[in-house]
Amino acid sequence: MTTHVIVGAGLAGAKAAQTLREEGFDGEIVLIGAESERPYERPPLSKEYLQGRSEREKIFVHPSGWYAEHGVRLRLGLRATGVDLDQHVVRLDDGSSQPYNKLLIATGATPRRLPGPAHYLRTVGDSEAIRERFAAGGRVIVVGAGWIGLESAAAARQAGCEVTILEPEPTPLHRALGPELGDVFAALHRRHGVGLRLGTGVADITETGVRLSTGERLDADVVVAGVGAVPETGLAREAGLEVGEGILTDASLRTSHPDVFAAGDVAEAFHPLYGRRIRVEHWANALNGGPVAARAMLGQDAVYDKIPYFYTDQYELGMEFSGDITGYDEVVYRGSVEDLDFIAYWLRDRRVIAGMNVNRWDVVREIQDLIRSGAAIDPKELSSD
């Protein structure tokens, strides 16, 4: 019997397994995951689930019985320790081996660590532990003003905690959105009583707080660190697959070995629109990448060309972001930034390369069409409602 193995039981892996069945694959599917939980989605962990607004069952990709009903063998609580590309075998940390005909690596990423005790938000257990600490109130320090840091800060503030964010960059989301929109998020959090210490580094963390790079100490009851993540490329690297920032793939998510594929946070895939490889850590990348990899595993002419997409909800601000701001030279707004009712467009040479709709809905397709078109456009047209 033909066996397709997926290492990484997250969203990308689960959607790949689903797609294999939907596309008519009748062989064996084995889904291997290091966590004991069946596949679940991670965005709620820093949003509604962290805030206590979502039931646990709602975070899972499929109902508990789905895997057995669709002939997907779950091997949970197991970590893959090696891949023999010649023998087509995955070695597991319980001493067993799993043969495969095609292999998908969807091992995701792991949080970057700081010196000293801190909470990190990656798993459902992490989210539950942090939520419990927020519910107790007190002083919370969030290290890092990226998406995870800001969403965690919003959840802590809404739980009634005193919150301070520490960030070495001059604005929140400085690399993701640039200083213009970073200032918007800084103002949002300050309006909700969050203290922001920007341009501030962390020397170390203790049980009672944080020591800054300046030597100053800040007391805290809870420290949450959101300072980025590192793709889990070790399995691929040790197997001899080509690895850069992530596991290098072509546009079909095929790695340097024809029978091995990669999807989700761990993949650094060639993107036809950008003409280069990119690595994207957001939810939509896992949601859409897993199915493309599955179709490619079945020999179909599958290409992953989705525009990077992300969403967040913080306080009264809801937004969706599309694209990549790399190399932008202008930001144009439609609507009212002050009222948090606007679309921001990032331009390079008068061409839209990214867009963010804030509290305006059903415009993502329009924004992404502008990005795909590559057409020069008068900024006045973009700013006009």
Side-chain angles (χ1 to χ4, degrees):
M1 176 183 289
T2 300
T3 300
H4 289 350
V5 172
I6 302 165
V7 177
L11 177 60
K15 298 304 285 187
Q18 176 183 331
T19 303
L20 287 173
R21 286 294 183 238
E22 289 175 345
E23 293 295 322
F25 178 66
D26 60 1
E28 184 180 26
I29 301 173
V30 181
L31 182 56
I32 300 168
E35 294 184 53
S36 59
E37 302 281 359
R38 73 182 190 271
Y40 58 85
E41 301 197 37
R42 297 193 189 276
L45 303 186
S46 60
K47 298 180 176 70
E48 60 268 24
Y49 191 67
L50 182 60
Q51 297 172 15
R53 296 188 292 108
S54 174
E55 297 176 3
R56 198 174 198 271
E57 190 61 27
K58 291 184 178 180
I59 71 173
F60 293 101
V61 181
H62 297 113
S64 59
W66 184 91
Y67 299 93
E69 292 168 4
H70 291 81
V72 176
R73 183 184 173 200
L74 285 178
R75 300 195 66 184
L76 302 177
L78 292 173
R79 186 173 294 277
T81 58
V83 176
D84 187 322
L85 297 176
D86 294 330
Q87 297 298 317
H88 282 55
V89 169
V90 178
R91 295 187 297 275
L92 303 174
D93 63 359
D94 67 348
S96 67
S97 296
Q98 175 62 59
Y100 67 86
N101 294 96
K102 301 290 185 184
L103 171 65
L104 171 61
I105 301 176
T107 44
T110 189
R112 295 183 187 275
R113 301 280 166 168
L114 295 173
H119 287 272
Y120 297 86
L121 184 47
R122 184 67 184 176
T123 69
V124 62
D126 295 338
S127 182
E128 290 167 352
I130 293 170
R131 183 176 64 193
E132 184 177 341
R133 295 299 303 270
F134 287 174
R139 298 160 298 183
V140 174
I141 289 180
V142 176
V143 183
W147 298 114
I148 294 294
L150 293 183
E151 290 175 352
S152 297
R157 195 73 190 95
Q158 289 171 313
C161 299
E162 177 186 328
V163 182
T164 301
I165 298 175
L166 307 177
E167 169 57 52
E169 297 284 359
T171 70
L173 303 167
H174 195 76
R175 296 179 185 179
L177 302 182
E180 300 90 348
L181 275 299
D183 283 339
V184 172
F185 281 87
L188 172 70
H189 279 265
R190 286 185 174 121
R191 283 198 302 273
H192 285 271
V194 175
L196 269 74
R197 300 287 294 270
L198 303 173
T200 302
V202 171
D204 62 55
I205 301 169
T206 70
E207 296 289 349
T208 58
V210 173
R211 182 167 62 88
L212 306 181
S213 53
T214 60
E216 181 184 358
R217 297 194 63 85
L218 299 179
D219 293 333
D221 300 296
V222 184
V223 176
V224 178
V227 290
V230 180
E232 291 272 13
T233 58
L235 189 69
R237 190 185 304 276
E238 291 169 14
L241 297 173
E242 292 182 5
V243 174
E245 181 186 351
I247 302 173
L248 302 183
T249 80
D250 63 14
S252 296
L253 303 181
R254 180 179 282 104
T255 70
S256 54
H257 191 287
D259 294 331
V260 182
F261 300 77
D265 295 3
V266 78
E268 186 178 351
F270 182 83
H271 198 292
L273 179 65
Y274 298 110
R276 57 184 171 87
R277 286 191 173 101
I278 64 173
R279 191 178 74 83
V280 180
E281 293 183 358
H282 300 319
W283 164 84
N285 186 50
L287 177 73
N288 298 310
V292 169
R295 294 185 182 101
M297 292 166 77
L298 297 177
Q300 298 180 18
D301 186 17
V303 172
Y304 187 66
D305 61 356
K306 295 285 188 181
I307 290 175
Y309 167 90
F310 179 77
Y311 74 96
T312 191
D313 296 295
Q314 298 171 35
Y315 312 111
E316 70 274 19
L317 183 152
M319 76 84 177
E320 298 170 292
F321 173 86
S322 300
D324 179 352
I325 72 167
T326 301
Y328 80 96
D329 52 35
E330 184 179 6
V331 181
V332 175
Y333 303 95
R334 174 183 296 175
S336 172
V337 176
E338 182 178 340
D339 294 334
L340 295 181
D341 177 16
F342 67 93
I343 303 173
Y345 299 95
W346 286 260
L347 279 67
R348 183 175 62 230
D349 299 329
R350 297 170 69 92
R351 292 169 170 81
V352 176
I353 59 172
M356 182 173 79
N357 47 300
V358 175
N359 293 332
R360 291 193 174 195
W361 310 111
D362 301 321
V363 295
V364 169
R365 177 65 64 84
E366 171 191 323
I367 292 170
Q368 293 193 358
D369 284 348
L370 281 172
I371 295 170
R372 286 191 183 279
S373 75
I377 188 167
D378 185 343
K380 292 181 179 179
E381 292 183 35
L382 292 174
S383 63
S384 174
D385 266 329

